[in-house]
Coordinates of all heavy atoms in Angstrom, one line a residue:
P17 N 0.8 -1.2 0.1 CA 0.0 -0.1 0.0 C 0.8 1.2 0.0 O 1.9 1.3 0.5 CB -0.7 -0.1 1.3 CG -0.7 -1.6 1.7 CD 0.5 -2.1 1.0
A18 N 0.3 2.2 -0.5 CA 1.1 3.6 -0.6 C 1.4 4.2 0.7 O 2.5 4.7 0.8 CB 0.3 4.5 -1.5
N19 N 0.5 4.1 1.5 CA 0.9 4.6 2.9 C 2.0 3.9 3.6 O 2.8 4.6 4.2 CB -0.4 4.5 3.8 CG -1.5 5.6 3.4 OD1 -1.1 6.5 2.6 ND2 -2.8 5.3 3.8
I20 N 2.1 2.6 3.5 CA 3.1 1.9 4.0 C 4.5 2.3 3.5 O 5.4 2.5 4.2 CB 2.9 0.3 4.0 CG1 1.7 -0.1 4.7 CG2 4.2 -0.5 4.4 CD1 1.8 0.1 6.2
N21 N 4.4 2.4 2.1 CA 5.7 2.9 1.3 C 6.2 4.2 1.9 O 7.3 4.3 2.1 CB 5.4 2.9 -0.1 CG 5.4 1.4 -0.7 OD1 5.7 0.5 -0.1 ND2 4.7 1.5 -1.8
S22 N 5.3 5.0 2.1 CA 5.7 6.4 2.6 C 6.2 6.4 4.0 O 7.1 7.1 4.3 CB 4.3 7.3 2.5 OG 3.9 7.5 1.2
I23 N 5.6 5.5 4.8 CA 6.1 5.4 6.2 C 7.5 4.9 6.2 O 8.4 5.4 6.9 CB 5.2 4.5 6.9 CG1 3.8 5.3 7.2 CG2 5.8 4.2 8.3 CD1 2.7 4.5 7.8
V24 N 7.7 3.8 5.4 CA 9.0 3.2 5.3 C 10.1 4.2 4.9 O 11.2 4.3 5.4 CB 9.1 1.8 4.6 CG1 10.4 1.3 4.3 CG2 8.1 0.8 5.2
I25 N 9.7 4.8 3.8 CA 10.8 5.8 3.2 C 11.0 6.9 4.3 O 12.2 7.3 4.5 CB 10.2 6.4 1.9 CG1 10.2 5.3 0.9 CG2 11.1 7.6 1.4 CD1 9.4 5.9 -0.4
F26 N 10.0 7.3 5.0 CA 10.3 8.4 6.1 C 11.2 7.7 7.2 O 12.2 8.5 7.5 CB 8.9 8.7 6.5 CG 9.2 9.6 7.9 CD1 9.4 11.0 7.7 CD2 9.0 9.2 9.1 CE1 9.7 11.8 8.8 CE2 9.1 10.0 10.3 CZ 9.6 11.3 10.1
L27 N 11.0 6.6 7.6 CA 11.7 5.9 8.6 C 13.2 5.8 8.1 O 14.2 5.9 8.8 CB 11.1 4.7 9.1 CG 9.9 4.8 9.9 CD1 9.3 3.5 10.1 CD2 10.1 5.5 11.2
L28 N 13.4 5.3 6.8 CA 14.7 5.2 6.3 C 15.5 6.4 6.2 O 16.6 6.5 6.5 CB 14.7 4.6 4.9 CG 14.5 3.1 4.9 CD1 14.2 2.6 3.4 CD2 15.8 2.4 5.3
L29 N 14.8 7.6 5.8 CA 15.4 8.8 5.7 C 15.1 9.9 6.7 O 14.9 11.1 6.4 CB 15.2 9.3 4.3 CG 15.9 8.5 3.1 CD1 15.4 9.2 1.8 CD2 17.4 8.7 3.2
S30 N 14.8 9.4 7.9 CA 14.3 10.4 8.9 C 15.3 11.4 9.2 O 14.9 12.4 9.8 CB 13.9 9.6 10.2 OG 15.0 9.0 10.7
V31 N 16.5 11.2 8.9 CA 17.5 12.2 9.2 C 18.3 12.3 7.8 O 18.7 11.3 7.2 CB 18.5 11.8 10.1 CG1 19.6 12.8 10.4 CG2 17.7 11.7 11.5
S32 N 18.6 13.6 7.3 CA 19.3 13.7 6.0 C 20.6 14.4 6.2 O 21.1 15.2 5.4 CB 18.4 14.4 5.0 OG 18.1 15.7 5.5
I33 N 21.2 14.1 7.2 CA 22.6 14.6 7.4 C 23.5 13.5 7.6 O 23.2 12.3 7.7 CB 22.7 15.4 8.7 CG1 22.1 14.7 10.0 CG2 21.8 16.6 8.6 CD1 22.2 15.2 11.2
E34 N 24.8 13.8 7.7 CA 26.0 12.8 7.6 C 26.0 12.1 9.0 O 26.2 10.8 9.0 CB 27.3 13.3 7.2 CG 28.3 12.3 7.0 CD 29.6 12.9 6.6 OE1 29.6 13.7 5.7 OE2 30.7 12.5 7.1
K35 N 25.9 12.8 10.0 CA 25.9 12.1 11.4 C 24.7 12.6 12.2 O 24.5 13.9 12.2 CB 27.2 12.5 12.0 CG 27.5 11.8 13.4 CD 28.8 12.0 13.9 CE 29.0 11.4 15.3 NZ 30.2 11.6 15.9
S36 N 24.1 11.8 12.9 CA 22.9 12.1 13.7 C 23.3 12.2 15.2 O 24.3 11.6 15.6 CB 21.9 11.0 13.5 OG 20.9 11.3 14.4
D37 N 22.4 12.8 15.9 CA 22.6 12.9 17.4 C 21.8 11.7 18.0 O 21.5 11.8 19.3 CB 22.4 14.2 18.0 CG 20.9 14.6 17.8 OD1 20.2 14.0 16.9 OD2 20.7 15.8 18.2
S38 N 21.2 10.8 17.2 CA 20.3 9.8 17.7 C 21.1 8.5 17.7 O 22.0 8.3 16.9 CB 19.2 9.7 16.7 OG 18.4 8.7 17.2
E39 N 20.7 7.5 18.5 CA 21.3 6.2 18.6 C 20.8 5.4 17.3 O 21.6 4.6 16.8 CB 21.0 5.5 19.7 CG 21.4 4.0 19.9 CD 21.2 3.2 21.2 OE1 20.4 3.8 22.0 OE2 21.5 2.2 21.3
H40 N 19.6 5.7 17.1 CA 18.9 4.9 15.8 C 18.4 6.0 14.9 O 17.0 6.1 15.0 CB 17.8 3.9 16.4 CG 18.3 2.9 17.4 ND1 17.9 2.9 18.6 CD2 19.2 2.0 17.2 CE1 18.4 2.0 19.3 NE2 19.3 1.4 18.4
P41 N 19.2 6.6 14.1 CA 18.7 7.5 13.3 C 17.7 7.2 12.2 O 17.0 7.8 11.6 CB 19.8 8.3 12.7 CG 20.9 7.3 12.8 CD 20.5 6.6 14.0
T42 N 17.8 5.8 11.9 CA 17.0 5.2 10.8 C 16.5 3.9 11.4 O 17.0 3.2 12.2 CB 17.7 5.1 9.5 OG1 18.7 4.1 9.6 CG2 18.3 6.4 9.0
L43 N 15.5 3.4 10.7 CA 15.0 2.1 11.0 C 16.0 1.0 10.7 O 16.0 -0.1 11.4 CB 13.7 1.8 10.2 CG 13.0 0.6 10.6 CD1 12.6 0.4 12.1 CD2 11.6 0.5 9.7
L44 N 16.8 1.2 9.7 CA 17.9 0.3 9.4 C 18.9 0.2 10.6 O 19.4 -0.8 10.9 CB 18.7 0.7 8.2 CG 19.7 -0.2 7.5 CD1 19.0 -1.5 7.2 CD2 20.2 0.5 6.3
H45 N 19.2 1.3 11.2 CA 20.2 1.2 12.4 C 19.5 0.4 13.4 O 20.3 -0.4 14.1 CB 20.4 2.7 12.8 CG 21.3 3.5 12.0 ND1 20.8 4.1 10.8 CD2 22.6 3.8 12.1 CE1 21.9 4.8 10.3 NE2 23.0 4.5 11.1
F46 N 18.3 0.7 13.7 CA 17.5 -0.1 14.8 C 17.6 -1.6 14.5 O 17.9 -2.4 15.3 CB 16.0 0.4 14.7 CG 15.2 -0.3 15.8 CD1 15.3 -0.1 17.1 CD2 14.5 -1.5 15.5 CE1 14.6 -0.9 18.1 CE2 13.8 -2.2 16.2 CZ 13.7 -1.9 17.5
A47 N 17.3 -1.9 13.2 CA 17.3 -3.4 12.7 C 18.7 -4.0 13.0 O 18.8 -5.2 13.3 CB 16.8 -3.4 11.3
C48 N 19.7 -3.2 12.6 CA 21.0 -3.8 12.7 C 21.4 -4.0 14.2 O 22.1 -4.9 14.5 CB 22.1 -2.8 12.1 SG 22.0 -3.0 10.2
K49 N 21.1 -3.1 15.0 CA 21.4 -3.2 16.5 C 20.8 -4.5 17.0 O 21.4 -5.1 17.9 CB 21.0 -2.0 17.3 CG 21.3 -2.2 18.7 CD 21.0 -0.9 19.5 CE 21.5 -1.2 20.9 NZ 21.2 -0.1 21.9
Y50 N 19.6 -4.8 16.6 CA 19.0 -6.0 17.2 C 19.1 -7.2 16.2 O 18.5 -8.2 16.5 CB 17.6 -5.6 17.5 CG 17.5 -4.6 18.6 CD1 17.2 -3.4 18.3 CD2 17.9 -5.1 19.9 CE1 17.2 -2.4 19.4 CE2 17.8 -4.1 21.0 CZ 17.3 -2.8 20.6 OH 17.5 -1.9 21.7
G51 N 20.0 -7.2 15.2 CA 20.0 -8.3 14.3 C 18.9 -8.7 13.5 O 18.7 -10.0 13.3
L52 N 18.1 -7.9 13.1 CA 16.8 -8.3 12.4 C 17.0 -8.3 10.9 O 16.8 -7.4 10.1 CB 15.8 -7.1 12.8 CG 15.5 -7.0 14.2 CD1 14.6 -5.7 14.5 CD2 15.0 -8.2 14.9
T53 N 17.7 -9.3 10.5 CA 18.1 -9.5 9.1 C 17.0 -9.5 8.2 O 17.1 -8.7 7.1 CB 18.9 -10.9 9.0 OG1 19.9 -10.9 9.8 CG2 19.3 -11.1 7.6
N54 N 15.8 -10.1 8.4 CA 14.7 -10.1 7.6 C 14.1 -8.7 7.4 O 13.9 -8.3 6.3 CB 13.6 -11.0 8.1 CG 13.9 -12.5 7.9 OD1 14.8 -12.8 7.2 ND2 13.3 -13.2 8.7
L55 N 14.1 -7.8 8.4 CA 13.6 -6.5 8.3 C 14.6 -5.7 7.4 O 14.2 -4.9 6.6 CB 13.5 -5.8 9.7 CG 13.2 -4.4 9.7 CD1 11.8 -4.1 9.0 CD2 13.0 -3.8 11.2
C56 N 16.0 -5.9 7.7 CA 16.9 -5.2 6.7 C 16.8 -5.5 5.4 O 16.9 -4.6 4.5 CB 18.4 -5.6 7.2 SG 18.8 -4.9 8.7
Q57 N 16.5 -6.8 5.0 CA 16.3 -7.2 3.7 C 15.1 -6.5 3.0 O 15.1 -6.1 1.8 CB 16.2 -8.7 3.5 CG 17.5 -9.4 3.8 CD 17.4 -10.8 4.0 OE1 16.4 -11.5 4.2 NE2 18.6 -11.6 3.9
V58 N 14.1 -6.4 3.8 CA 12.8 -5.6 3.3 C 13.2 -4.2 3.0 O 12.8 -3.5 2.1 CB 11.7 -5.8 4.3 CG1 10.6 -4.8 4.0 CG2 11.3 -7.2 4.2
L59 N 13.9 -3.5 4.1 CA 14.3 -2.2 3.9 C 15.2 -1.8 2.7 O 15.0 -0.7 2.1 CB 15.0 -1.6 5.2 CG 14.1 -1.7 6.5 CD1 14.9 -1.4 7.8 CD2 12.9 -0.6 6.3
F60 N 16.0 -2.8 2.3 CA 16.9 -2.6 1.3 C 16.1 -2.4 -0.1 O 16.6 -1.9 -1.1 CB 17.7 -3.8 1.0 CG 18.9 -4.0 2.0 CD1 19.4 -5.3 2.3 CD2 19.2 -2.9 2.8 CE1 20.3 -5.5 3.3 CE2 20.3 -3.2 3.8 CZ 20.8 -4.4 4.0
K61 N 14.8 -2.8 -0.2 CA 14.0 -2.7 -1.4 C 13.5 -1.3 -1.5 O 12.9 -1.0 -2.6 CB 12.9 -3.7 -1.3 CG 13.4 -5.1 -1.3 CD 12.3 -6.1 -1.1 CE 12.9 -7.5 -1.1 NZ 11.8 -8.5 -1.0
Y62 N 13.6 -0.4 -0.5 CA 13.0 1.0 -0.6 C 13.9 2.1 -1.0 O 15.1 1.8 -0.6 CB 12.3 1.2 0.8 CG 11.0 0.5 1.0 CD1 11.1 -0.8 1.6 CD2 9.7 0.9 0.5 CE1 9.9 -1.6 1.7 CE2 8.7 0.2 0.8 CZ 8.7 -1.0 1.3 OH 7.6 -1.7 1.5
P63 N 13.4 3.1 -1.5 CA 14.4 4.2 -1.9 C 14.8 4.8 -0.5 O 14.0 4.7 0.4 CB 13.4 5.2 -2.5 CG 12.1 4.5 -3.0 CD 12.1 3.3 -2.0
G64 N 16.0 5.1 -0.6 CA 16.7 5.7 0.7 C 17.5 4.8 1.5 O 18.2 5.2 2.3
A65 N 17.5 3.5 1.1 CA 18.3 2.5 1.8 C 19.8 2.7 1.7 O 20.5 2.5 2.7 CB 17.9 1.1 1.3
H66 N 20.2 3.1 0.4 CA 21.6 3.4 0.3 C 22.1 4.6 1.1 O 23.2 4.4 1.8 CB 21.9 3.6 -1.0 CG 21.7 2.4 -2.0 ND1 22.5 1.4 -2.0 CD2 20.7 2.3 -2.9 CE1 22.0 0.5 -2.9 NE2 20.9 1.0 -3.4
E67 N 21.3 5.6 1.3 CA 21.6 6.7 2.1 C 21.7 6.4 3.6 O 22.5 6.8 4.3 CB 20.7 7.9 1.8 CG 20.8 8.5 0.4 CD 20.0 7.7 -0.6 OE1 19.4 6.7 -0.4 OE2 19.9 8.2 -1.8
A68 N 20.6 5.5 4.0 CA 20.6 5.1 5.3 C 21.9 4.3 5.7 O 22.3 4.3 6.9 CB 19.4 4.3 5.6
C69 N 22.3 3.6 4.8 CA 23.6 2.7 5.0 C 24.7 3.7 5.3 O 25.8 3.3 6.0 CB 24.0 1.8 3.8 SG 22.9 0.3 3.7
S70 N 24.7 5.0 4.8 CA 26.0 5.8 4.9 C 25.9 6.7 6.2 O 26.7 7.3 6.6 CB 26.0 6.6 3.7 OG 26.3 5.9 2.6
L71 N 24.6 6.7 6.7 CA 24.4 7.6 7.8 C 25.0 7.1 9.1 O 24.8 5.8 9.5 CB 22.9 7.9 8.0 CG 22.4 8.9 9.0 CD1 22.9 10.2 8.8 CD2 21.0 8.8 9.3
K72 N 25.7 7.9 9.9 CA 26.3 7.6 11.1 C 25.3 7.9 12.3 O 24.7 9.0 12.2 CB 27.7 8.2 11.4 CG 28.7 7.9 10.4 CD 30.0 8.5 10.6 CE 31.0 8.2 9.6 NZ 32.3 8.9 9.8
N73 N 25.3 7.2 13.3 CA 24.5 7.4 14.5 C 25.4 8.4 15.4 O 26.5 8.8 15.0 CB 24.0 6.3 15.2 CG 25.0 5.4 15.9 OD1 26.3 5.8 15.8 ND2 24.7 4.3 16.4
Y74 N 24.9 8.7 16.6 CA 25.7 9.6 17.5 C 27.0 9.1 17.9 O 27.9 9.8 18.4 CB 24.8 10.0 18.7 CG 24.6 8.9 19.8 CD1 25.5 8.8 20.9 CD2 23.7 7.9 19.6 CE1 25.3 8.0 21.8 CE2 23.6 7.0 20.5 CZ 24.4 7.0 21.6 OH 24.3 6.0 22.6
E75 N 27.3 7.8 17.8 CA 28.5 7.1 18.1 C 29.4 7.0 16.9 O 30.5 6.5 17.0 CB 28.3 5.8 18.8 CG 27.6 5.8 20.1 CD 27.4 4.5 20.6 OE1 27.2 3.5 19.7 OE2 27.4 4.3 21.9
G76 N 29.0 7.6 15.9 CA 29.8 7.5 14.6 C 29.7 6.1 13.9 O 30.5 5.8 13.0
Q77 N 28.6 5.3 14.2 CA 28.5 4.0 13.6 C 27.4 4.0 12.5 O 26.3 4.5 12.7 CB 28.1 3.0 14.6 CG 29.3 2.8 15.6 CD 29.0 1.6 16.6 OE1 27.9 1.4 16.9 NE2 30.0 1.0 17.0
R78 N 27.8 3.4 11.3 CA 26.8 3.2 10.3 C 26.2 1.8 10.6 O 26.6 1.0 11.5 CB 27.6 3.0 9.0 CG 28.2 4.4 8.6 CD 28.8 4.3 7.1 NE 29.3 5.6 6.7 CZ 30.6 6.0 6.9 NH1 31.4 5.5 7.5 NH2 30.8 7.3 6.4
P79 N 25.0 1.5 9.9 CA 24.4 0.3 10.2 C 25.3 -1.0 10.1 O 25.2 -1.9 11.0 CB 23.2 0.1 9.1 CG 23.0 1.6 8.8 CD 24.3 2.4 8.9
Y80 N 26.2 -1.0 9.1 CA 27.2 -2.1 8.9 C 28.1 -2.2 10.2 O 28.2 -3.4 10.8 CB 28.1 -1.8 7.8 CG 29.3 -2.7 7.7 CD1 29.2 -4.1 7.2 CD2 30.5 -2.5 8.3 CE1 30.3 -4.9 7.2 CE2 31.6 -3.3 8.3 CZ 31.5 -4.4 7.7 OH 32.5 -5.5 7.7
N81 N 28.5 -1.1 10.8 CA 29.4 -1.1 12.0 C 28.6 -1.7 13.1 O 29.1 -2.5 14.0 CB 29.9 0.3 12.4 CG 30.7 0.9 11.2 OD1 30.3 1.9 10.7 ND2 31.8 0.3 10.8
L82 N 27.3 -1.2 13.2 CA 26.5 -1.7 14.5 C 26.4 -3.2 14.3 O 26.6 -4.0 15.4 CB 25.1 -1.2 14.4 CG 25.0 0.3 14.7 CD1 23.5 0.8 14.6 CD2 25.2 0.3 16.3
A83 N 26.0 -3.8 13.1 CA 25.8 -5.2 13.0 C 27.2 -5.9 13.3 O 27.2 -6.9 14.1 CB 25.3 -5.5 11.7
Q84 N 28.2 -5.5 12.7 CA 29.5 -6.1 12.9 C 30.0 -6.0 14.3 O 30.5 -7.1 14.9 CB 30.5 -5.4 12.0 CG 31.9 -6.0 12.1 CD 32.0 -7.3 11.4 OE1 31.3 -7.6 10.4 NE2 33.0 -8.0 11.6
N85 N 30.0 -4.9 15.0 CA 30.4 -4.8 16.3 C 29.6 -5.5 17.4 O 30.1 -6.0 18.4 CB 30.5 -3.3 16.8 CG 31.5 -2.6 16.0 OD1 32.5 -3.1 15.3 ND2 31.3 -1.3 15.9
L86 N 28.2 -5.8 17.0 CA 27.4 -6.6 18.0 C 27.4 -8.0 17.7 O 26.6 -8.7 18.3 CB 26.0 -5.9 17.9 CG 25.9 -4.6 18.5 CD1 24.6 -3.9 18.2 CD2 26.1 -4.6 20.0
G87 N 28.2 -8.5 16.8 CA 28.4 -9.9 16.5 C 27.4 -10.5 15.4 O 27.3 -11.7 15.3
F88 N 26.7 -9.6 14.7 CA 25.8 -10.1 13.7 C 26.5 -10.0 12.3 O 26.2 -9.1 11.4 CB 24.5 -9.1 13.5 CG 23.8 -9.1 15.0 CD1 23.6 -7.9 15.7 CD2 23.3 -10.3 15.4 CE1 23.0 -7.9 16.9 CE2 22.4 -10.3 16.5 CZ 22.4 -9.0 17.3
R89 N 27.5 -10.9 12.2 CA 28.4 -10.9 11.1 C 27.7 -11.2 9.8 O 28.0 -10.6 8.7 CB 29.5 -11.8 11.3 CG 30.6 -11.3 12.4 CD 31.7 -12.2 12.7 NE 32.6 -11.6 13.7 CZ 32.4 -11.3 14.9 NH1 31.1 -11.4 15.5 NH2 33.3 -10.8 15.7
E90 N 26.7 -12.2 9.8 CA 26.0 -12.5 8.6 C 25.3 -11.2 8.1 O 25.1 -11.0 6.9 CB 25.1 -13.7 8.7 CG 25.9 -14.9 8.9 CD 24.9 -16.1 9.2 OE1 23.8 -16.1 8.9 OE2 25.6 -17.1 9.6
L91 N 24.7 -10.6 9.1 CA 23.9 -9.4 8.7 C 24.7 -8.3 8.1 O 24.5 -7.7 7.1 CB 23.1 -8.7 9.9 CG 22.4 -7.5 9.8 CD1 21.5 -7.5 8.6 CD2 21.7 -7.1 11.1
A92 N 26.0 -8.1 8.8 CA 27.0 -7.1 8.3 C 27.4 -7.5 6.9 O 27.5 -6.6 6.1 CB 28.2 -7.1 9.2
D93 N 27.6 -8.9 6.6 CA 27.8 -9.2 5.2 C 26.8 -8.8 4.2 O 27.0 -8.5 3.1 CB 28.1 -10.8 5.2 CG 29.4 -11.2 5.9 OD1 30.3 -10.3 6.0 OD2 29.5 -12.4 6.1
E94 N 25.5 -9.0 4.7 CA 24.5 -8.7 3.8 C 24.4 -7.2 3.5 O 24.1 -6.8 2.3 CB 23.0 -9.0 4.5 CG 22.7 -10.5 4.6 CD 22.5 -11.2 3.4 OE1 21.8 -10.5 2.5 OE2 22.9 -12.4 3.0
I95 N 24.6 -6.4 4.5 CA 24.7 -4.9 4.2 C 25.8 -4.6 3.4 O 25.7 -3.9 2.4 CB 24.8 -4.1 5.6 CG1 23.7 -4.4 6.5 CG2 25.1 -2.7 5.3 CD1 23.9 -4.0 7.9
R96 N 27.0 -5.2 3.5 CA 28.2 -4.9 2.6 C 27.8 -5.3 1.1 O 28.1 -4.6 0.3 CB 29.4 -5.7 3.1 CG 30.6 -5.5 2.3 CD 31.1 -4.1 2.3 NE 31.6 -3.7 3.7 CZ 31.8 -2.4 4.2 NH1 31.5 -1.4 3.4 NH2 32.1 -2.2 5.5
K97 N 27.1 -6.5 1.0 CA 26.8 -7.0 -0.5 C 25.7 -5.9 -1.0 O 25.9 -5.7 -2.2 CB 26.1 -8.2 -0.3 CG 27.1 -9.4 0.0 CD 26.3 -10.7 0.1 CE 27.2 -11.9 0.7 NZ 26.5 -13.1 0.9
F98 N 24.9 -5.5 -0.2 CA 23.9 -4.5 -0.6 C 24.5 -3.2 -1.1 O 24.2 -2.7 -2.2 CB 22.9 -4.2 0.5 CG 21.9 -3.1 0.0 CD1 21.0 -3.2 -0.8 CD2 22.1 -1.9 0.7 CE1 20.1 -2.2 -1.2 CE2 21.1 -0.8 0.4 CZ 20.3 -1.0 -0.6
Q99 N 25.6 -2.7 -0.3 CA 26.3 -1.5 -0.7 C 27.1 -1.7 -1.9 O 27.1 -0.8 -2.7 CB 27.2 -1.1 0.5 CG 26.4 -0.7 1.7 CD 27.2 -0.3 2.9 OE1 28.1 -1.1 3.3 NE2 27.2 0.9 3.3
V100 N 27.7 -2.9 -2.1 CA 28.5 -3.1 -3.2 C 27.7 -3.3 -4.5 O 28.0 -2.7 -5.6 CB 29.4 -4.5 -3.0 CG1 30.0 -4.9 -4.3 CG2 30.4 -4.1 -2.0
S101 N 26.5 -3.9 -4.3 CA 25.7 -4.1 -5.5 C 25.1 -2.7 -6.0 O 24.9 -2.6 -7.3 CB 24.4 -4.9 -5.2 OG 23.5 -4.3 -4.3
S102 N 25.1 -1.7 -5.3 CA 24.6 -0.4 -5.6 C 25.6 0.3 -6.5 O 25.3 1.1 -7.2 CB 24.2 0.4 -4.5 OG 25.3 0.7 -3.7
L103 N 26.9 -0.2 -6.3 CA 28.0 0.4 -7.2 C 28.1 -0.1 -8.5 O 28.6 0.5 -9.4 CB 29.3 0.3 -6.4 CG 29.4 0.8 -4.9 CD1 30.7 0.4 -4.5 CD2 29.2 2.3 -5.0
S104 N 27.3 -1.2 -8.7 CA 27.5 -1.8 -10.1 C 26.5 -1.2 -11.0 O 25.4 -0.8 -10.6 CB 27.2 -3.3 -10.1 OG 27.8 -4.0 -8.9

């Protein structure tokens, strides 16, 4: 539904700056902190996902860093693959 798409895009791009003063500036950051791989895979399908991957939280961590540092290595690999696929 259109309303759901709008909400997801808003949550992905809730902050449009390079570094945020929030722990979870985007839904992607939240999903990475808690190892929610399926949610991340859904979020990758929406506009703004690439930008969300580049955004740092208040600790200077991008979603990839959160997943990696918290031991969600498979999720971190998924994020890395997503980022690399966008360069092709």
